Amino acid sequence: MNIPKRYDAKEAESKWQAFWEAKGIYKFNPENNSPVFSLDTPPPTVSGEMHIGHAMAYIQADTVMRFQRMLGKSIFYPFGFDDNGLATELYVEKKTGRLAEEMSRQEFVELCLKESEIAEKRLHEDWKSLGISPDWDISYRTTDEWCRKTSQRSFIHLYKMGRAYRKYEPTVWCPKCGTAIAQVETEDKTLSSVLYDITFKVEGADLLIATSRPELLPACVSVFYHPSDERYKKYKGKMATVPLFGHEVPIMEDEEADPESGTGIVMCCTAGDSTDVEWWKTHKLPWISVIDERGRMKEAAGKYAGMYIKKARKAIVEDLAEQGLLKGKEEISHNVNVHERCGTAVEYIMTKQWFIKYLDLKELFLDAGAQLNWYPSYMKSRYDNWVKGLKWDWCISRQRYYGISFPVWYCEECDYVVVADDKDLPVDPSEATPPIDKCPKCGCDRFKPEQDVLDTWATSSLTPQIATRWKEDDAFFNKLYPMSLRSNGHDIITFWLFNTVVKGLLHENKVPWKDVIINGFVLDPKREKMSKSKGNIIKPKATIERYSADALRFWACSAKLGEDLPYEEKEIRRGVKMINKLWNASKFTLLHLDGYDLKYNCLEVADRWLLSKLNRVIGECTASFNDYEFSTVKKVIENFFWHTFCDVYLEIVKDRLYNPERGEEAKRSAQYTLYVALQAMLKMMAPIMPHITEEIYHAYFAEKENCKSIHISKWPEMDEDTIDEEAEEMGDKAEDVISAVRKYKTLNKKALNSEVSRILINCDNATEKQLEGTCDDLKATLHAKAIEFGDAEDNIITEKYELKLRVDW
RNA sequence: GGGCCCGUGGUCUAGCUGGUUAUGACGUCGCCUUUACGAGGCGAAGGUCAUGCGUUCGAAUCGCAUCGGGCCCA
């Protein structure tokens, strides 16, 4: 056996990655009748780069898949790329320096597709370098033909069941991007602003109203105060006159009006925020549109029409001041709802949009959340809170250039909705003709295509259906849906996970997976969130190049599910050390297994001790992996391998291996134990460190087991019969003696291999009997000429069993 | 404002269905070339388990409150 002195991780990792691909080790076989284990991972967006958070999450999920594969399951592990939607548009515009509105839609779409392809190649390489084990042949991209087809099918299915509807509705709108967006795409940002006290008139008297958005005065439709507010009760049912614009609006009561805020009386405009929209709905107020799709004032704003929001605000404030209607202003900082992608404050604009009706299904969604197995379980409450707080149906149309088309045309006369035929999918309604000649409602033969595109989440919420060939291959679908596992960051429970549950329930009346694992974030060494602006971003690529993928993986597995993990360089170095240690221990072990035929007659105490402990470790690692507790697996196997196996066991058996005087049987017993232990430990580490374990496996075990990769070899099974409580106690006592004598030598500044003439152990008869079985090993390990039992004066007490010893030099 | 999570030696962390002396790593210090590994081995120092109150024979672990940090949502 020729094992190199050093392990070259860089060379080995690319070698094994190529090997796995060439041999199809991770290929899904639909004919395989073993139970399926499948994974739904987030398709990374082409607009981003792989960051260390991705690395952690994908590695963690990958260890689970590798474990399940070794259990003999049929593994379905697809991989997708998300090149859809607004994120891609913004990325392409930034990268090429060209704007979508500079060219035709088709030209822009082509540019997006071209750039996505380049980005995907890069992403594929990056993800591959993590040593993950998907079947790359079943990868998808969210704008490919198959995904477009599935997304349009989903829409048509929802339309036909009455869940997709189109309506004029106040819609969350980004004036910068010029599109409707969903509730979930917004976030709150604290911004500084000015609160103006503005004079309204009631029957000739002044009524002061505080607002930060005076430009909405022309859209003012009522004013509110709290029902308990004594100051304003007298105005109930009266009308107030809006300054500058002169129209009259009703004065009304509502619990939502905060007496403490501003003057305690608030104007309701259509629409400044979600409260305005709620008031508009519940009090059945008229709708006045003053802001257009690009954030300019509309006709209703009178002389301010055509100005952008901020300019109009300034002009109106000036005019109010000039007319003496501005009574005060105060600098404030308040929370503003902004579009998460561009940071622009959102508006509520009345437009015609497509929605998925789902507010009536909250109970169903809560029930679905309860059906899923959440790891960790407390993450379920994020889902529950989100469902309970839903206020709007899901707006799925976007007024953008690049995205999947609605498979829809409208009758030019009566707006009748015509959807595409399934056989024609995917369609671009601008290019294709509708499947009917005449409108069934009015007989008109002219149709116009829907110009809007589907929200990107309308497609990415279908990843389980996309992967399992929904409505395309029933046998395949039925075998694979619902999927076994979803891996998800805690930040996207409310959209990606929730939306996927929605689609699963609406389409199949089933939750899309059995289990859900939620991973945490990677923080910087100071435990702060990584961000470009802080400049504390770590690129996994650099880490892999410097330390190897296995070292990165070893680190990634140290966080529990749901918990954030700080990136610490020293932790990565710990992985490097582990690889080195594993290499050296294996090199030593295999050297002594050369030509060994796995035959033995009877096992020595130390060997039974190790094998018994090994079996407990197998049991614990198996149970932990089944519960997605890879960090426990990592910790347990690391500890067992390093301390029990290397520090204690290997030192014990060296003499039996090297010294012929110990006899052939004692050697065979050690060889058997080494074989079994190393093989099992390698396999248990394989999901975490797939490259180094493959390298060692191929140096010896692959041939013995006749298996071409450790990753499709059999996971070690716990054998209850090997658990040997008696041997464990005997071995533990021997270990206790070894520790004590080592400590004694160290304190006396002696080398560990320095000879002692005698070790005298002063213990009870039972212990003496137990230790007798290990005497030869003890003598060899401690370099003691003799071990005797007796009543002499002692000078050492052992740590664990408090045995009394005396060491004679 | 609501929900959820977290506070354990200098740093990171295990334990948290209550029960000997609180786990391990990094760092620090000392000693040592064990026929695998000095990228190693053997040791040492270092902790009022955030704070307070409570439940209990017994609390890092359970309950309540406070303080601090984080995430999600208003």
Side-chain angles (χ1 to χ4, degrees):
Chain A
M1 207 170 324
N2 191 14
I3 298 164
K5 197 165 163 52
R6 291 209 178 257
Y7 168 71
D8 182 342
K10 199 163 191 174
E11 190 196 314
E13 293 190 347
S14 53
K15 175 180 77 183
W16 292 117
Q17 284 168 19
F19 173 87
W20 297 330
E21 207 165 342
K23 301 282 177 184
I25 300 295
Y26 307 131
K27 219 164 158 30
F28 175 65
N29 175 9
E31 310 299 320
N32 184 340
N33 284 323
S34 309
V36 172
F37 194 90
S38 55
L39 173 66
D40 184 25
T41 48
T45 51
V46 299
S47 57
E49 279 184 77
M50 182 171 76
H51 58 73
I52 194 85
H54 285 125
M56 181 185 81
Y58 283 83
I59 287 167
Q60 291 182 345
D62 185 65
T63 62
V64 170
M65 298 312 280
R66 288 182 178 278
F67 164 70
Q68 294 287 345
R69 187 180 291 113
M70 290 173 80
L71 288 183
K73 304 252 179 88
S74 173
I75 297 299
F76 182 67
Y77 184 177
F79 197 92
F81 299 99
D82 188 5
D83 54 3
N84 193 7
L86 186 52
T88 307
E89 282 189 32
L90 297 176
Y91 162 73
V92 170
E93 286 185 338
K94 197 176 165 195
K95 191 182 165 198
T96 62
R98 300 173 65 194
L99 296 176
E101 50 257 53
E102 287 171 11
M103 57 193 108
S104 76
R105 178 161 172 178
Q106 199 174 346
E107 239 181 302
F108 185 69
V109 167
E110 272 164 25
L111 185 64
C112 288
L113 289 171
K114 193 182 119 208
E115 289 298 333
S116 300
E117 214 167 299
I118 297 169
E120 271 157 24
K121 282 209 179 97
R122 188 191 74 222
L123 293 180
H124 183 162
E125 286 309 310
D126 287 350
W127 257 264
K128 215 171 87 177
S129 73
L130 299 173
I132 58 172
S133 62
D135 178 354
W136 293 101
D137 290 344
I138 41 176
S139 61
Y140 58 87
R141 49 191 287 197
T142 51
T143 56
D144 66 19
E145 190 172 314
W146 165 245
C147 289
R148 296 205 305 274
K149 189 173 186 176
T150 305
S151 189
Q152 291 186 336
R153 262 183 184 154
S154 161
F155 171 80
I156 291 170
H157 191 219
L158 294 171
Y159 177 72
K160 288 187 173 163
M161 71 171 80
R163 282 284 160 193
Y165 69 94
R166 190 170 179 240
K167 201 181 168 191
Y168 269 112
E169 272 281 304
T171 312
V172 187
W173 189 275
C174 175
K176 182 167 179 204
C177 300
T179 181
I181 54 176
Q183 182 184 345
V184 75
E185 290 174 277
T186 67
E187 62 189 13
D188 282 354
K189 207 158 105 180
T190 305
L191 297 173
S192 59
S193 179
V194 180
L195 195 63
Y196 299 98
D197 290 339
I198 294 171
T199 315
F200 281 53
K201 296 276 184 195
V202 192
E203 296 175 338
D206 285 359
L207 180 64
L208 274 188
I209 290 182
T211 179
S212 60
R213 301 206 53 190
E215 75 278 13
L216 292 178
L217 280 173
C220 180
V221 289
S222 70
V223 298
F224 286 99
Y225 62 90
H226 194 270
S228 69
D229 197 331
E230 296 297 333
R231 294 173 291 178
Y232 302 115
K233 273 201 168 157
K234 58 186 173 189
Y235 296 130
K236 188 176 178 179
K238 297 192 170 158
M239 300 296 276
T241 308
V242 178
L244 298 185
F245 297 89
H247 58 289
E248 293 202 320
V249 297
I251 304 170
M252 307 168 94
E253 294 181 341
D254 195 286
E255 298 279 344
E256 287 288 307
D258 179 6
E260 304 294 318
S261 159
T263 57
I265 193 153
V266 61
M267 66 177 189
C268 167
C269 304
T270 51
D273 58 26
S274 60
T275 313
D276 284 347
V277 176
E278 271 168 48
W279 279 334
W280 169 78
K281 267 189 194 161
T282 54
H283 296 279
K284 299 196 172 18
L285 298 164
W287 186 278
I288 303 173
S289 293
V290 280
I291 292 172
D292 76 3
E293 288 78 356
R294 285 288 167 183
R296 285 172 299 228
M297 306 307 289
K298 294 174 69 162
E299 269 170 55
K303 70 177 206 184
Y304 310 100
M307 293 181 186
Y308 281 99
I309 293 168
K310 279 189 178 158
K311 197 174 165 200
R313 183 180 305 170
K314 196 170 165 235
I316 287 176
V317 168
E318 278 168 13
D319 289 349
L320 285 167
E322 201 168 293
Q323 296 185 27
L325 297 167
L326 188 64
K327 293 289 177 217
K329 57 179 193 178
E330 183 194 350
E331 302 275 336
I332 55 163
S333 69
H334 63 164
N335 287 337
V336 179
N337 211 215
V338 302
H339 185 197
E340 55 152 10
R341 295 223 183 262
C342 67
T344 309
V346 301
E347 299 295 337
Y348 292 79
I349 289 188
M350 188 67 94
T351 51
K352 208 164 192 180
Q353 303 288 348
W354 280 99
F355 295 87
I356 306 290
K357 177 178 158 71
Y358 67 16
L359 284 181
D360 57 323
L361 300 177
K362 285 189 183 184
E363 285 304 318
L364 187 72
F365 297 153
L366 290 173
D367 181 57
Q371 284 177 49
L372 289 169
N373 299 313
W374 295 80
Y375 298 86
S377 57
Y378 60 79
M379 286 295 179
K380 177 174 172 289
S381 42
R382 300 241 179 142
Y383 173 93
D384 289 346
N385 288 335
W386 173 255
V387 172
K388 286 175 193 158
L390 278 175
K391 286 188 176 164
W392 312 76
D393 277 341
W394 180 7
C395 174
I396 54 162
S397 45
R398 296 290 181 273
Q399 292 65 51
R400 295 297 306 186
Y401 307 88
Y402 179 68
I404 296 173
S405 316
F406 279 83
V408 167
W409 297 262
Y410 305 105
C411 169
E412 286 204 8
E413 284 297 323
C414 70
D415 225 23
Y416 179 83
V417 173
V418 180
V419 296
D421 256 1
D422 189 76
K423 66 175 168 45
D424 298 329
L425 301 180
V427 296
D428 178 349
S430 304
E431 307 279 311
T433 50
I436 52 170
D437 298 328
K438 280 192 172 149
C439 172
K441 199 167 145 199
C442 73
C444 168
D445 60 0
R446 286 166 292 114
F447 299 92
K448 52 179 192 245
E450 172 59 270
Q451 294 286 335
D452 289 357
V453 293
L454 282 155
D455 170 23
T456 175
W457 293 104
T459 306
S460 33
S461 58
L462 291 164
T463 50
Q465 287 84 350
I466 287 167
T468 59
R469 307 203 67 76
W470 177 63
K471 287 192 185 288
E472 190 75 13
D473 181 340
D474 287 347
F476 193 79
F477 179 77
N478 291 333
K479 182 173 172 146
L480 294 168
Y481 189 96
M483 296 179 79
S484 315
L485 180 64
R486 153 60 70 92
S487 152
N488 206 129
H490 58 62
D491 52 331
I492 49 174
I493 290 173
T494 55
F495 33 136
W496 189 45
L497 187 142
F498 171 68
N499 289 340
T500 313
V501 170
V502 168
K503 290 279 182 108
L505 292 175
L506 293 179
H507 289 313
E508 296 297 319
N509 200 24
K510 274 186 201 162
V511 291
W513 335 270
K514 200 171 131 279
D515 297 348
V516 172
I517 53 175
I518 305 292
N519 60 269
F521 281 152
V522 177
L523 306 175
D524 77 359
K526 289 183 206 142
R527 314 210 94 227
E528 283 177 29
K529 208 170 156 175
M530 290 189 182
S531 70
K532 273 187 191 155
S533 56
K534 279 190 207 153
N536 58 354
I537 303 247
I538 300 289
K539 296 254 174 74
K541 210 172 179 170
T543 305
I544 291 169
E545 273 169 21
R546 187 151 175 217
Y547 298 108
S548 80
D550 280 344
L552 179 73
R553 293 176 64 102
F554 192 71
W555 159 80
C557 292
S558 55
K560 287 194 287 191
L561 276 175
E563 290 205 340
D564 294 344
L565 179 64
Y567 179 89
E568 304 245 29
E569 193 123 352
K570 64 184 191 197
E571 288 297 318
I572 311 281
R573 278 195 222 106
R574 174 93 193 136
V576 174
K577 284 186 173 186
M578 181 69 181
I579 290 164
N580 184 51
K581 187 83 175 170
L582 184 58
W583 181 254
N584 283 310
S586 300
K587 196 173 65 186
F588 170 81
T589 302
L590 296 182
L591 190 72
H592 294 282
L593 289 179
D594 206 7
Y596 174 60
D597 56 7
L598 272 171
K599 288 193 184 120
Y600 71 95
N601 281 323
C602 159
L603 293 175
E604 300 270 323
V605 173
D607 302 338
R608 284 189 278 133
W609 168 79
L610 187 84
L611 292 175
S612 184
K613 294 201 170 239
L614 174 72
N615 267 275
R616 291 188 195 275
V617 168
I618 292 171
E620 198 172 351
C621 288
T622 308
S624 297
F625 251 141
N626 272 320
D627 287 338
Y628 307 112
E629 293 285 352
F630 34 77
S631 68
T632 306
V633 175
K634 181 212 153 189
K635 204 178 61 203
V636 167
I637 190 69
E638 179 185 14
N639 189 46
F640 177 77
F641 162 72
W642 202 300
H643 300 297
T644 308
F645 183 76
C646 291
D647 292 347
V648 181
Y649 183 74
L650 284 186
E651 293 303 329
I652 289 177
V653 293
K654 268 180 186 170
D655 189 57
R656 280 198 256 147
L657 296 168
Y658 283 116
N659 183 0
E661 283 174 27
R662 297 291 298 275
E664 197 56 29
E665 275 316 310
K667 182 174 175 181
R668 282 179 174 279
S669 175
Q671 284 176 309
Y672 173 80
T673 309
L674 287 173
Y675 183 101
V676 171
L678 182 63
Q679 185 188 45
M681 290 188 300
L682 277 180
K683 289 184 175 200
M684 287 189 279
M685 288 186 224
I688 296 171
M689 299 190 292
H691 308 90
I692 174 84
T693 50
E694 184 80 301
E695 179 84 23
I696 299 167
Y697 187 76
H698 277 262
Y700 186 77
F701 297 104
E703 200 185 317
K704 291 267 176 186
E705 286 200 315
N706 192 24
C707 178
K708 60 186 171 188
S709 167
I710 192 171
H711 303 297
I712 49 173
S713 74
K714 208 166 156 292
W715 180 260
E717 231 172 282
M718 175 166 171
D719 175 15
E720 288 286 350
D721 293 343
T722 307
I723 300 289
D724 185 340
E725 307 252 0
E726 199 201 355
E728 283 192 38
E729 192 175 325
M730 291 160 85
D732 284 350
K733 283 184 176 168
E735 187 190 352
D736 207 22
V737 171
I738 290 171
S739 296
V741 176
R742 280 173 170 176
K743 181 172 174 175
Y744 187 72
K745 285 183 177 179
T746 296
L747 290 175
N748 287 284
K749 304 190 181 189
K750 302 266 191 192
L752 291 177
N753 63 349
S754 59
E755 284 220 331
V756 297
S757 62
R758 185 177 70 156
I759 295 168
L760 186 71
I761 304 172
N762 184 2
C763 61
D764 57 58
N765 282 342
T767 305
E768 183 179 333
K769 269 220 157 70
Q770 288 180 315
L771 284 174
E772 266 172 358
T774 65
C775 264
D776 287 344
D777 282 341
L778 277 179
K779 268 165 37 184
T781 311
L782 296 171
H783 300 270
K785 280 194 180 138
I787 290 184
E788 290 169 15
F789 296 90
D791 257 352
E793 208 180 302
D794 42 71
N795 52 4
I796 303 174
I797 296 178
T798 67
E799 188 87 4
K800 193 171 166 195
Y801 289 95
E802 299 182 347
L803 306 175
K804 293 166 190 156
L805 311 178
R806 196 179 87 202
V807 174
D808 296 333
W809 302 113

